Amino acid sequence: MSGAVGSAPDDAGLAEGVARVVAVDHGTAWLEPEPTTSCAGCLSFSACGLKSGGSSRALVARRFPLADDQGYRVGERIVVGLPESAVLSASATAYAIPLLTMVGAGILAQGLGAGDGTGAAAILGGLAVGLLVARVVAGRLARRGAFAPRFLRRVAPGGGCGQGTGEPGMTGGPS
Amino acid sequence: MQDLALLMVGAVLVNNVVLERFLGLCSFMGVTTKVDTAVGMGMATTFVITVSAMGDWSLQTFLLAPYDLGYLRTVTFILVIAGAVQFTEMVIRKVSPPLFRTLGIYLPLITTNCAVLGVALLLVEGHYGFIQSTLFAFASALGYSLVMVVFAGLRERVALADVPPLFAGPPIGFITASLLALAFMGFSGISAN
């Protein structure tokens, strides 16, 4: 854990990422995930559009709140963690549910002998239904706090989370 | 329906996009250090491949083929894939901002995954209808995810093994991948029967 200052116990099985405190407001700190990229080792890295890891607008959209129980300062970098099971259930909710309804609608349409037009309508309808179901499921999970990251430790200047490489969690990317 | 089942089984196992067609090898080696990560990446890629296949089929059928614009196919499909990734990002952000914050990392990676473009180009060769195209793309992506998860599981086991220093890291990864590819060659007999 290079650069870590103080570590919370019980942080096994967590997807870790480094985030920067961008605002502290009435007991809530707002954090912005640090941009990382998947292909920092690629020979064409210097010419690649992905090297910034995301635009500033995209980063603003990914800001998240954290209860200010550690006395955060603006500009400070901290390591936050999310249970790996939460990343899995988020993936299943966002991708698997709409996919299953979409493919199910397609197979049903094919079974009923639908043409391309009807089949396309069925698949798009299945996608819409799947997204609605995903919205409901995601709302339930979010209310239970399943996607809420938690503070793990502070990062010393120049340090990283130490486990980000190859382990995409909330902010880290695969190499 | 039997044709559809054969098409899908063939795409998942017999003509596996990673081990038979050698597409998506970058993520195959890079994102398979842990099973959880591989599952997440696999699901995201499956979604994008399926959605972009629908867009690719529509453009190919109604624009590129009728106007003899085949030479624009690769550029067009790359645009469709980038659009599908943006669409996915937008939809997830609207459906659930917490989900978007949790999963945002996977999406930019998919744009540069050659398996997505490879599947789209395979669809053109297959001359499928809309539903067959979508299901073929879904099955191909399922094959990609299956191999990612199996390989990640193997690598987790290999990480615990006492590997000679010369083979530690990527070399043993490549050897494991080659053995997995050999195992998948066994499925090629399915098509002959």
mmCIF file of all heavy atoms in Angstrom, chain A residues 38 50 62-63 82 84 88 90-91 99 102-103 106 110 116 119-120 123 131 135 166-169 172 174-175, chain B residues 4 30-31 33-34 36-37 39 43-44 46 50 54 91-92 95 99-103 105 109 112 130-131 138:
data_model
loop_
_atom_site.group_PDB
_atom_site.id
_atom_site.type_symbol
_atom_site.label_atom_id
_atom_site.label_comp_id
_atom_site.label_asym_id
_atom_site.label_seq_id
_atom_site.Cartn_x
_atom_site.Cartn_y
_atom_site.Cartn_z
ATOM 1 N N SER A 38 -6.667 2.162 -19.081
ATOM 2 C CA SER A 38 -6.458 0.729 -19.174
ATOM 3 C C SER A 38 -5.137 0.378 -19.815
ATOM 4 O O SER A 38 -4.617 -0.693 -19.628
ATOM 5 C CB SER A 38 -7.557 0.133 -20.027
ATOM 6 O OG SER A 38 -7.473 0.657 -21.324
ATOM 7 N N LEU A 50 -7.288 7.876 -25.146
ATOM 8 C CA LEU A 50 -7.733 7.392 -23.838
ATOM 9 C C LEU A 50 -6.776 7.767 -22.716
ATOM 10 O O LEU A 50 -7.024 7.492 -21.573
ATOM 11 C CB LEU A 50 -7.850 5.864 -23.856
ATOM 12 C CG LEU A 50 -9.097 5.283 -24.479
ATOM 13 C CD1 LEU A 50 -8.978 3.775 -24.523
ATOM 14 C CD2 LEU A 50 -10.330 5.693 -23.729
ATOM 15 N N ARG A 62 -19.128 11.680 -12.311
ATOM 16 C CA ARG A 62 -18.857 10.530 -11.453
ATOM 17 C C ARG A 62 -18.509 10.934 -10.026
ATOM 18 O O ARG A 62 -18.034 10.112 -9.252
ATOM 19 C CB ARG A 62 -17.732 9.688 -12.070
ATOM 20 C CG ARG A 62 -18.192 8.958 -13.319
ATOM 21 C CD ARG A 62 -17.066 8.309 -14.035
ATOM 22 N NE ARG A 62 -16.379 7.339 -13.188
ATOM 23 C CZ ARG A 62 -15.211 6.801 -13.488
ATOM 24 N NH1 ARG A 62 -14.597 7.159 -14.593
ATOM 25 N NH2 ARG A 62 -14.649 5.928 -12.693
ATOM 26 N N ARG A 63 -18.719 12.213 -9.684
ATOM 27 C CA ARG A 63 -18.485 12.640 -8.295
ATOM 28 C C ARG A 63 -19.433 11.902 -7.349
ATOM 29 O O ARG A 63 -20.576 11.635 -7.701
ATOM 30 C CB ARG A 63 -18.742 14.150 -8.162
ATOM 31 C CG ARG A 63 -17.563 14.975 -8.558
ATOM 32 C CD ARG A 63 -17.829 16.441 -8.328
ATOM 33 N NE ARG A 63 -16.761 17.215 -8.935
ATOM 34 C CZ ARG A 63 -16.743 18.532 -9.007
ATOM 35 N NH1 ARG A 63 -17.743 19.228 -8.522
ATOM 36 N NH2 ARG A 63 -15.724 19.155 -9.564
ATOM 37 N N LEU A 82 -14.968 -0.351 -2.369
ATOM 38 C CA LEU A 82 -16.336 -0.811 -2.611
ATOM 39 C C LEU A 82 -16.278 -2.335 -2.619
ATOM 40 O O LEU A 82 -15.379 -2.901 -3.243
ATOM 41 C CB LEU A 82 -16.795 -0.281 -3.972
ATOM 42 C CG LEU A 82 -18.262 -0.332 -4.326
ATOM 43 C CD1 LEU A 82 -19.054 0.619 -3.434
ATOM 44 C CD2 LEU A 82 -18.451 0.070 -5.779
ATOM 45 N N GLU A 84 -16.366 -6.024 -3.655
ATOM 46 C CA GLU A 84 -16.358 -6.574 -5.011
ATOM 47 C C GLU A 84 -17.718 -7.136 -5.389
ATOM 48 O O GLU A 84 -18.107 -7.121 -6.555
ATOM 49 C CB GLU A 84 -15.262 -7.635 -5.131
ATOM 50 C CG GLU A 84 -13.885 -7.015 -5.280
ATOM 51 C CD GLU A 84 -12.746 -7.990 -5.118
ATOM 52 O OE1 GLU A 84 -13.005 -9.155 -4.794
ATOM 53 O OE2 GLU A 84 -11.597 -7.569 -5.305
ATOM 54 N N LEU A 88 -20.052 -6.521 -8.788
ATOM 55 C CA LEU A 88 -20.684 -7.613 -9.539
ATOM 56 C C LEU A 88 -22.191 -7.412 -9.667
ATOM 57 O O LEU A 88 -22.762 -7.554 -10.756
ATOM 58 C CB LEU A 88 -20.422 -8.944 -8.834
ATOM 59 C CG LEU A 88 -19.228 -9.750 -9.306
ATOM 60 C CD1 LEU A 88 -19.188 -11.078 -8.588
ATOM 61 C CD2 LEU A 88 -19.292 -9.972 -10.802
ATOM 62 N N ALA A 90 -23.762 -4.650 -9.430
ATOM 63 C CA ALA A 90 -24.006 -3.480 -10.289
ATOM 64 C C ALA A 90 -23.911 -3.872 -11.761
ATOM 65 O O ALA A 90 -24.737 -3.458 -12.580
ATOM 66 C CB ALA A 90 -22.993 -2.389 -9.963
ATOM 67 N N SER A 91 -22.907 -4.693 -12.100
ATOM 68 C CA SER A 91 -22.760 -5.151 -13.491
ATOM 69 C C SER A 91 -23.982 -5.956 -13.917
ATOM 70 O O SER A 91 -24.517 -5.774 -15.013
ATOM 71 C CB SER A 91 -21.529 -6.051 -13.642
ATOM 72 O OG SER A 91 -20.389 -5.397 -13.243
ATOM 73 N N LEU A 99 -29.999 -7.176 -21.071
ATOM 74 C CA LEU A 99 -29.603 -8.139 -22.100
ATOM 75 C C LEU A 99 -30.552 -9.331 -22.133
ATOM 76 O O LEU A 99 -30.965 -9.771 -23.215
ATOM 77 C CB LEU A 99 -28.196 -8.649 -21.790
ATOM 78 C CG LEU A 99 -27.049 -8.028 -22.563
ATOM 79 C CD1 LEU A 99 -25.734 -8.582 -22.061
ATOM 80 C CD2 LEU A 99 -27.177 -8.279 -24.046
ATOM 81 N N MET A 102 -33.889 -8.398 -23.562
ATOM 82 C CA MET A 102 -33.749 -8.111 -25.002
ATOM 83 C C MET A 102 -33.625 -9.409 -25.799
ATOM 84 O O MET A 102 -34.318 -9.617 -26.803
ATOM 85 C CB MET A 102 -32.497 -7.243 -25.178
ATOM 86 C CG MET A 102 -32.277 -6.701 -26.540
ATOM 87 S SD MET A 102 -31.032 -5.392 -26.508
ATOM 88 C CE MET A 102 -29.556 -6.293 -26.209
ATOM 89 N N VAL A 103 -32.737 -10.290 -25.345
ATOM 90 C CA VAL A 103 -32.521 -11.548 -26.063
ATOM 91 C C VAL A 103 -33.759 -12.448 -25.945
ATOM 92 O O VAL A 103 -34.151 -13.109 -26.913
ATOM 93 C CB VAL A 103 -31.260 -12.250 -25.510
ATOM 94 C CG1 VAL A 103 -31.131 -13.655 -26.057
ATOM 95 C CG2 VAL A 103 -30.022 -11.451 -25.873
ATOM 96 N N GLY A 106 -36.158 -11.322 -28.430
ATOM 97 C CA GLY A 106 -35.707 -11.716 -29.775
ATOM 98 C C GLY A 106 -36.005 -13.172 -30.066
ATOM 99 O O GLY A 106 -36.501 -13.524 -31.144
ATOM 100 N N GLN A 110 -38.517 -14.644 -32.856
ATOM 101 C CA GLN A 110 -38.063 -15.623 -33.850
ATOM 102 C C GLN A 110 -38.952 -16.866 -33.807
ATOM 103 O O GLN A 110 -39.331 -17.405 -34.846
ATOM 104 C CB GLN A 110 -36.606 -15.996 -33.551
ATOM 105 C CG GLN A 110 -36.019 -17.046 -34.454
ATOM 106 C CD GLN A 110 -35.639 -16.479 -35.818
ATOM 107 O OE1 GLN A 110 -35.648 -15.262 -36.001
ATOM 108 N NE2 GLN A 110 -35.337 -17.356 -36.755
ATOM 109 N N ASP A 116 -37.988 -9.094 -39.895
ATOM 110 C CA ASP A 116 -36.960 -8.214 -39.343
ATOM 111 C C ASP A 116 -37.549 -7.012 -38.598
ATOM 112 O O ASP A 116 -37.080 -6.641 -37.529
ATOM 113 C CB ASP A 116 -36.043 -7.715 -40.465
ATOM 114 C CG ASP A 116 -35.062 -8.796 -40.896
ATOM 115 O OD1 ASP A 116 -34.795 -9.706 -40.083
ATOM 116 O OD2 ASP A 116 -34.581 -8.733 -42.034
ATOM 117 N N GLY A 119 -39.248 -8.159 -35.422
ATOM 118 C CA GLY A 119 -38.191 -8.641 -34.534
ATOM 119 C C GLY A 119 -37.436 -7.481 -33.904
ATOM 120 O O GLY A 119 -37.133 -7.503 -32.705
ATOM 121 N N ALA A 120 -37.138 -6.453 -34.729
ATOM 122 C CA ALA A 120 -36.427 -5.284 -34.197
ATOM 123 C C ALA A 120 -37.262 -4.583 -33.132
ATOM 124 O O ALA A 120 -36.736 -4.182 -32.084
ATOM 125 C CB ALA A 120 -36.104 -4.319 -35.334
ATOM 126 N N ILE A 123 -37.183 -6.668 -29.951
ATOM 127 C CA ILE A 123 -35.891 -6.583 -29.249
ATOM 128 C C ILE A 123 -35.758 -5.224 -28.559
ATOM 129 O O ILE A 123 -35.323 -5.138 -27.399
ATOM 130 C CB ILE A 123 -34.737 -6.839 -30.240
ATOM 131 C CG1 ILE A 123 -34.678 -8.343 -30.547
ATOM 132 C CG2 ILE A 123 -33.406 -6.363 -29.672
ATOM 133 C CD1 ILE A 123 -33.654 -8.740 -31.574
ATOM 134 N N LEU A 131 -34.407 -2.164 -19.139
ATOM 135 C CA LEU A 131 -33.865 -0.952 -18.517
ATOM 136 C C LEU A 131 -34.764 -0.471 -17.377
ATOM 137 O O LEU A 131 -34.277 0.009 -16.353
ATOM 138 C CB LEU A 131 -33.680 0.141 -19.570
ATOM 139 C CG LEU A 131 -32.531 -0.107 -20.556
ATOM 140 C CD1 LEU A 131 -32.534 0.919 -21.672
ATOM 141 C CD2 LEU A 131 -31.182 -0.088 -19.841
ATOM 142 N N ARG A 135 -33.667 -0.225 -13.557
ATOM 143 C CA ARG A 135 -33.819 1.022 -12.780
ATOM 144 C C ARG A 135 -34.405 0.740 -11.396
ATOM 145 O O ARG A 135 -33.933 1.271 -10.385
ATOM 146 C CB ARG A 135 -34.723 1.973 -13.569
ATOM 147 C CG ARG A 135 -34.862 3.345 -12.969
ATOM 148 C CD ARG A 135 -35.946 4.122 -13.703
ATOM 149 N NE ARG A 135 -36.158 5.400 -13.081
ATOM 150 C CZ ARG A 135 -35.722 6.548 -13.565
ATOM 151 N NH1 ARG A 135 -35.061 6.580 -14.686
ATOM 152 N NH2 ARG A 135 -35.949 7.664 -12.931
ATOM 153 N N GLY A 166 -4.506 -3.258 -12.842
ATOM 154 C CA GLY A 166 -5.075 -4.545 -13.212
ATOM 155 C C GLY A 166 -6.334 -4.909 -12.476
ATOM 156 O O GLY A 166 -6.913 -5.952 -12.694
ATOM 157 N N GLU A 167 -6.788 -4.071 -11.597
ATOM 158 C CA GLU A 167 -7.990 -4.387 -10.831
ATOM 159 C C GLU A 167 -8.964 -3.242 -10.948
ATOM 160 O O GLU A 167 -8.961 -2.332 -10.134
ATOM 161 C CB GLU A 167 -7.646 -4.563 -9.341
ATOM 162 C CG GLU A 167 -6.494 -5.502 -9.060
ATOM 163 C CD GLU A 167 -6.792 -6.912 -9.467
ATOM 164 O OE1 GLU A 167 -7.957 -7.208 -9.692
ATOM 165 O OE2 GLU A 167 -5.871 -7.706 -9.580
ATOM 166 N N PRO A 168 -9.795 -3.201 -11.950
ATOM 167 C CA PRO A 168 -10.696 -2.072 -12.051
ATOM 168 C C PRO A 168 -11.764 -2.136 -10.979
ATOM 169 O O PRO A 168 -12.498 -3.098 -10.873
ATOM 170 C CB PRO A 168 -11.308 -2.219 -13.437
ATOM 171 C CG PRO A 168 -11.247 -3.651 -13.711
ATOM 172 C CD PRO A 168 -10.069 -4.193 -12.970
ATOM 173 N N GLY A 169 -11.790 -1.158 -10.142
ATOM 174 C CA GLY A 169 -12.844 -1.094 -9.161
ATOM 175 C C GLY A 169 -13.698 0.085 -9.528
ATOM 176 O O GLY A 169 -14.258 0.155 -10.602
ATOM 177 N N GLY A 172 -10.107 2.358 -10.835
ATOM 178 C CA GLY A 172 -8.928 1.744 -11.437
ATOM 179 C C GLY A 172 -9.269 1.027 -12.716
ATOM 180 O O GLY A 172 -10.394 0.615 -12.934
ATOM 181 N N PRO A 174 -8.066 -1.893 -15.872
ATOM 182 C CA PRO A 174 -7.219 -3.036 -16.138
ATOM 183 C C PRO A 174 -6.035 -2.640 -16.995
ATOM 184 O O PRO A 174 -6.133 -1.739 -17.803
ATOM 185 C CB PRO A 174 -8.138 -3.992 -16.883
ATOM 186 C CG PRO A 174 -9.174 -3.129 -17.459
ATOM 187 C CD PRO A 174 -9.327 -1.967 -16.558
ATOM 188 N N SER A 175 -4.948 -3.310 -16.821
ATOM 189 C CA SER A 175 -3.770 -2.943 -17.611
ATOM 190 C C SER A 175 -3.784 -3.666 -18.934
ATOM 191 O O SER A 175 -4.445 -4.659 -19.092
ATOM 192 C CB SER A 175 -2.521 -3.322 -16.852
ATOM 193 O OG SER A 175 -2.549 -4.692 -16.532
ATOM 194 N N LEU B 4 -31.406 -21.577 -34.901
ATOM 195 C CA LEU B 4 -30.996 -20.501 -33.998
ATOM 196 C C LEU B 4 -30.118 -21.048 -32.869
ATOM 197 O O LEU B 4 -29.085 -20.464 -32.520
ATOM 198 C CB LEU B 4 -32.244 -19.836 -33.418
ATOM 199 C CG LEU B 4 -32.098 -18.406 -32.928
ATOM 200 C CD1 LEU B 4 -31.688 -17.501 -34.059
ATOM 201 C CD2 LEU B 4 -33.393 -17.936 -32.314
ATOM 202 N N GLY B 30 -5.401 -8.817 -20.075
ATOM 203 C CA GLY B 30 -5.297 -7.698 -19.137
ATOM 204 C C GLY B 30 -6.326 -7.679 -18.024
ATOM 205 O O GLY B 30 -6.059 -7.163 -16.944
ATOM 206 N N VAL B 31 -7.521 -8.201 -18.281
ATOM 207 C CA VAL B 31 -8.616 -8.051 -17.306
ATOM 208 C C VAL B 31 -8.935 -9.363 -16.606
ATOM 209 O O VAL B 31 -9.958 -9.488 -15.955
ATOM 210 C CB VAL B 31 -9.868 -7.487 -18.023
ATOM 211 C CG1 VAL B 31 -10.878 -6.950 -17.027
ATOM 212 C CG2 VAL B 31 -9.491 -6.395 -18.976
ATOM 213 N N THR B 33 -7.158 -11.038 -14.250
ATOM 214 C CA THR B 33 -6.396 -11.367 -13.043
ATOM 215 C C THR B 33 -7.320 -11.820 -11.920
ATOM 216 O O THR B 33 -6.880 -12.489 -10.998
ATOM 217 C CB THR B 33 -5.574 -10.157 -12.587
ATOM 218 O OG1 THR B 33 -6.425 -9.018 -12.575
ATOM 219 C CG2 THR B 33 -4.398 -9.901 -13.520
ATOM 220 N N LYS B 34 -8.587 -11.411 -11.980
ATOM 221 C CA LYS B 34 -9.556 -11.828 -10.960
ATOM 222 C C LYS B 34 -10.885 -12.161 -11.621
ATOM 223 O O LYS B 34 -11.274 -11.516 -12.602
ATOM 224 C CB LYS B 34 -9.770 -10.701 -9.940
ATOM 225 C CG LYS B 34 -8.555 -10.458 -9.062
ATOM 226 C CD LYS B 34 -8.811 -9.370 -8.077
ATOM 227 C CE LYS B 34 -9.618 -9.857 -6.904
ATOM 228 N NZ LYS B 34 -9.783 -8.825 -5.877
ATOM 229 N N ASP B 36 -13.975 -11.759 -10.506
ATOM 230 C CA ASP B 36 -14.982 -10.695 -10.388
ATOM 231 C C ASP B 36 -14.819 -9.649 -11.482
ATOM 232 O O ASP B 36 -15.785 -9.196 -12.104
ATOM 233 C CB ASP B 36 -14.876 -10.014 -9.019
ATOM 234 C CG ASP B 36 -15.343 -10.934 -7.907
ATOM 235 O OD1 ASP B 36 -15.958 -11.957 -8.233
ATOM 236 O OD2 ASP B 36 -15.089 -10.622 -6.736
ATOM 237 N N THR B 37 -13.560 -9.258 -11.708
ATOM 238 C CA THR B 37 -13.268 -8.261 -12.731
ATOM 239 C C THR B 37 -13.649 -8.780 -14.113
ATOM 240 O O THR B 37 -14.228 -8.059 -14.926
ATOM 241 C CB THR B 37 -11.763 -7.939 -12.713
ATOM 242 O OG1 THR B 37 -11.391 -7.621 -11.385
ATOM 243 C CG2 THR B 37 -11.441 -6.787 -13.619
ATOM 244 N N VAL B 39 -15.869 -11.043 -14.848
ATOM 245 C CA VAL B 39 -17.331 -11.120 -14.990
ATOM 246 C C VAL B 39 -17.894 -9.736 -15.336
ATOM 247 O O VAL B 39 -18.713 -9.591 -16.255
ATOM 248 C CB VAL B 39 -17.976 -11.656 -13.691
ATOM 249 C CG1 VAL B 39 -19.491 -11.541 -13.752
ATOM 250 C CG2 VAL B 39 -17.590 -13.109 -13.473
ATOM 251 N N MET B 43 -19.731 -8.841 -18.884
ATOM 252 C CA MET B 43 -21.132 -8.402 -19.011
ATOM 253 C C MET B 43 -21.221 -7.076 -19.766
ATOM 254 O O MET B 43 -22.090 -6.893 -20.624
ATOM 255 C CB MET B 43 -21.766 -8.270 -17.626
ATOM 256 C CG MET B 43 -22.194 -9.603 -17.053
ATOM 257 S SD MET B 43 -23.311 -9.432 -15.666
ATOM 258 C CE MET B 43 -22.183 -9.399 -14.316
ATOM 259 N N ALA B 44 -20.312 -6.162 -19.451
ATOM 260 C CA ALA B 44 -20.322 -4.865 -20.141
ATOM 261 C C ALA B 44 -20.058 -5.049 -21.631
ATOM 262 O O ALA B 44 -20.735 -4.454 -22.478
ATOM 263 C CB ALA B 44 -19.280 -3.942 -19.523
ATOM 264 N N THR B 46 -20.534 -7.761 -23.422
ATOM 265 C CA THR B 46 -21.666 -8.463 -24.044
ATOM 266 C C THR B 46 -22.775 -7.473 -24.398
ATOM 267 O O THR B 46 -23.346 -7.524 -25.492
ATOM 268 C CB THR B 46 -22.214 -9.540 -23.071
ATOM 269 O OG1 THR B 46 -21.156 -10.401 -22.721
ATOM 270 C CG2 THR B 46 -23.318 -10.348 -23.711
ATOM 271 N N THR B 50 -23.817 -6.572 -28.342
ATOM 272 C CA THR B 50 -25.192 -6.857 -28.804
ATOM 273 C C THR B 50 -25.857 -5.581 -29.326
ATOM 274 O O THR B 50 -26.472 -5.588 -30.400
ATOM 275 C CB THR B 50 -26.017 -7.465 -27.659
ATOM 276 O OG1 THR B 50 -25.281 -8.531 -27.074
ATOM 277 C CG2 THR B 50 -27.333 -8.000 -28.144
ATOM 278 N N MET B 54 -26.854 -4.448 -33.504
ATOM 279 C CA MET B 54 -28.149 -4.005 -34.053
ATOM 280 C C MET B 54 -27.951 -2.778 -34.944
ATOM 281 O O MET B 54 -28.506 -2.679 -36.035
ATOM 282 C CB MET B 54 -29.122 -3.701 -32.909
ATOM 283 C CG MET B 54 -29.493 -4.931 -32.111
ATOM 284 S SD MET B 54 -30.895 -4.672 -31.019
ATOM 285 C CE MET B 54 -30.193 -3.664 -29.749
ATOM 286 N N VAL B 91 -27.380 5.915 -20.916
ATOM 287 C CA VAL B 91 -28.540 5.198 -20.368
ATOM 288 C C VAL B 91 -28.293 4.806 -18.917
ATOM 289 O O VAL B 91 -29.160 5.001 -18.055
ATOM 290 C CB VAL B 91 -28.855 3.949 -21.233
ATOM 291 C CG1 VAL B 91 -29.839 3.036 -20.524
ATOM 292 C CG2 VAL B 91 -29.417 4.377 -22.572
ATOM 293 N N ILE B 92 -27.092 4.306 -18.637
ATOM 294 C CA ILE B 92 -26.811 3.891 -17.251
ATOM 295 C C ILE B 92 -26.822 5.113 -16.331
ATOM 296 O O ILE B 92 -27.301 5.051 -15.200
ATOM 297 C CB ILE B 92 -25.469 3.148 -17.173
ATOM 298 C CG1 ILE B 92 -25.586 1.826 -17.899
ATOM 299 C CG2 ILE B 92 -25.063 2.889 -15.727
ATOM 300 C CD1 ILE B 92 -24.307 1.048 -17.970
ATOM 301 N N VAL B 95 -30.484 5.803 -15.860
ATOM 302 C CA VAL B 95 -31.184 4.749 -15.113
ATOM 303 C C VAL B 95 -30.796 4.798 -13.639
ATOM 304 O O VAL B 95 -31.647 4.732 -12.761
ATOM 305 C CB VAL B 95 -30.860 3.362 -15.720
ATOM 306 C CG1 VAL B 95 -31.271 2.240 -14.784
ATOM 307 C CG2 VAL B 95 -31.573 3.190 -17.047
ATOM 308 N N LEU B 99 -25.062 3.474 -10.104
ATOM 309 C CA LEU B 99 -24.552 2.406 -10.965
ATOM 310 C C LEU B 99 -23.494 2.959 -11.906
ATOM 311 O O LEU B 99 -22.452 2.346 -12.121
ATOM 312 C CB LEU B 99 -25.690 1.841 -11.825
ATOM 313 C CG LEU B 99 -26.437 0.620 -11.326
ATOM 314 C CD1 LEU B 99 -27.427 0.186 -12.395
ATOM 315 C CD2 LEU B 99 -25.498 -0.504 -11.027
ATOM 316 N N PHE B 100 -23.768 4.125 -12.458
ATOM 317 C CA PHE B 100 -22.838 4.736 -13.402
ATOM 318 C C PHE B 100 -21.503 5.022 -12.730
ATOM 319 O O PHE B 100 -20.437 4.770 -13.297
ATOM 320 C CB PHE B 100 -23.447 6.028 -13.962
ATOM 321 C CG PHE B 100 -22.488 6.821 -14.793
ATOM 322 C CD1 PHE B 100 -22.106 6.390 -16.050
ATOM 323 C CD2 PHE B 100 -21.948 8.000 -14.311
ATOM 324 C CE1 PHE B 100 -21.213 7.115 -16.809
ATOM 325 C CE2 PHE B 100 -21.056 8.732 -15.064
ATOM 326 C CZ PHE B 100 -20.683 8.291 -16.311
ATOM 327 N N ARG B 101 -21.582 5.528 -11.499
ATOM 328 C CA ARG B 101 -20.337 5.847 -10.793
ATOM 329 C C ARG B 101 -19.545 4.578 -10.485
ATOM 330 O O ARG B 101 -18.326 4.583 -10.442
ATOM 331 C CB ARG B 101 -20.650 6.601 -9.500
ATOM 332 C CG ARG B 101 -21.087 8.032 -9.727
ATOM 333 C CD ARG B 101 -21.060 8.819 -8.443
ATOM 334 N NE ARG B 101 -22.095 8.394 -7.522
ATOM 335 C CZ ARG B 101 -23.300 8.958 -7.446
ATOM 336 N NH1 ARG B 101 -23.602 9.963 -8.240
ATOM 337 N NH2 ARG B 101 -24.194 8.537 -6.587
ATOM 338 N N THR B 102 -20.260 3.487 -10.274
ATOM 339 C CA THR B 102 -19.583 2.234 -9.949
ATOM 340 C C THR B 102 -18.980 1.566 -11.173
ATOM 341 O O THR B 102 -17.902 0.992 -11.103
ATOM 342 C CB THR B 102 -20.592 1.256 -9.298
ATOM 343 O OG1 THR B 102 -21.243 1.943 -8.228
ATOM 344 C CG2 THR B 102 -19.905 0.035 -8.740
ATOM 345 N N LEU B 103 -19.665 1.687 -12.307
ATOM 346 C CA LEU B 103 -19.277 0.902 -13.483
ATOM 347 C C LEU B 103 -18.642 1.706 -14.597
ATOM 348 O O LEU B 103 -18.283 1.139 -15.614
ATOM 349 C CB LEU B 103 -20.515 0.196 -14.055
ATOM 350 C CG LEU B 103 -21.170 -0.811 -13.143
ATOM 351 C CD1 LEU B 103 -22.483 -1.264 -13.731
ATOM 352 C CD2 LEU B 103 -20.264 -2.002 -12.943
ATOM 353 N N ILE B 105 -15.914 2.735 -15.307
ATOM 354 C CA ILE B 105 -14.573 2.378 -15.771
ATOM 355 C C ILE B 105 -14.595 1.417 -16.952
ATOM 356 O O ILE B 105 -13.757 1.478 -17.831
ATOM 357 C CB ILE B 105 -13.754 1.782 -14.613
ATOM 358 C CG1 ILE B 105 -12.344 1.411 -15.077
ATOM 359 C CG2 ILE B 105 -14.427 0.573 -14.009
ATOM 360 C CD1 ILE B 105 -11.537 2.550 -15.591
ATOM 361 N N LEU B 109 -13.100 1.265 -21.999
ATOM 362 C CA LEU B 109 -12.223 0.175 -22.418
ATOM 363 C C LEU B 109 -12.809 -0.612 -23.579
ATOM 364 O O LEU B 109 -12.093 -1.178 -24.386
ATOM 365 C CB LEU B 109 -11.981 -0.782 -21.246
ATOM 366 C CG LEU B 109 -11.518 -0.169 -19.940
ATOM 367 C CD1 LEU B 109 -11.312 -1.246 -18.903
ATOM 368 C CD2 LEU B 109 -10.231 0.576 -20.164
ATOM 369 N N THR B 112 -12.095 0.250 -27.401
ATOM 370 C CA THR B 112 -10.842 -0.184 -28.027
ATOM 371 C C THR B 112 -10.719 -1.701 -28.071
ATOM 372 O O THR B 112 -9.648 -2.219 -28.323
ATOM 373 C CB THR B 112 -9.646 0.397 -27.251
ATOM 374 O OG1 THR B 112 -9.814 0.072 -25.869
ATOM 375 C CG2 THR B 112 -9.553 1.881 -27.409
ATOM 376 N N PHE B 130 -32.112 -9.636 -39.001
ATOM 377 C CA PHE B 130 -31.902 -8.795 -37.821
ATOM 378 C C PHE B 130 -31.834 -9.621 -36.523
ATOM 379 O O PHE B 130 -30.911 -9.456 -35.718
ATOM 380 C CB PHE B 130 -33.020 -7.752 -37.715
ATOM 381 C CG PHE B 130 -32.822 -6.812 -36.557
ATOM 382 C CD1 PHE B 130 -31.986 -5.718 -36.681
ATOM 383 C CD2 PHE B 130 -33.464 -7.026 -35.350
ATOM 384 C CE1 PHE B 130 -31.781 -4.860 -35.609
ATOM 385 C CE2 PHE B 130 -33.281 -6.171 -34.273
ATOM 386 C CZ PHE B 130 -32.437 -5.075 -34.413
ATOM 387 N N ILE B 131 -32.815 -10.511 -36.356
ATOM 388 C CA ILE B 131 -32.855 -11.274 -35.099
ATOM 389 C C ILE B 131 -31.656 -12.219 -35.005
ATOM 390 O O ILE B 131 -31.002 -12.297 -33.963
ATOM 391 C CB ILE B 131 -34.180 -12.068 -34.994
ATOM 392 C CG1 ILE B 131 -35.361 -11.101 -34.981
ATOM 393 C CG2 ILE B 131 -34.199 -12.918 -33.724
ATOM 394 C CD1 ILE B 131 -36.705 -11.788 -34.982
ATOM 395 N N PHE B 138 -24.882 -11.654 -29.575
ATOM 396 C CA PHE B 138 -25.031 -11.962 -28.145
ATOM 397 C C PHE B 138 -24.278 -13.245 -27.797
ATOM 398 O O PHE B 138 -23.540 -13.305 -26.800
ATOM 399 C CB PHE B 138 -26.515 -12.099 -27.800
ATOM 400 C CG PHE B 138 -26.771 -12.606 -26.408
ATOM 401 C CD1 PHE B 138 -26.538 -11.807 -25.302
ATOM 402 C CD2 PHE B 138 -27.245 -13.895 -26.198
ATOM 403 C CE1 PHE B 138 -26.762 -12.285 -24.014
ATOM 404 C CE2 PHE B 138 -27.474 -14.368 -24.916
ATOM 405 C CZ PHE B 138 -27.235 -13.558 -23.827
#
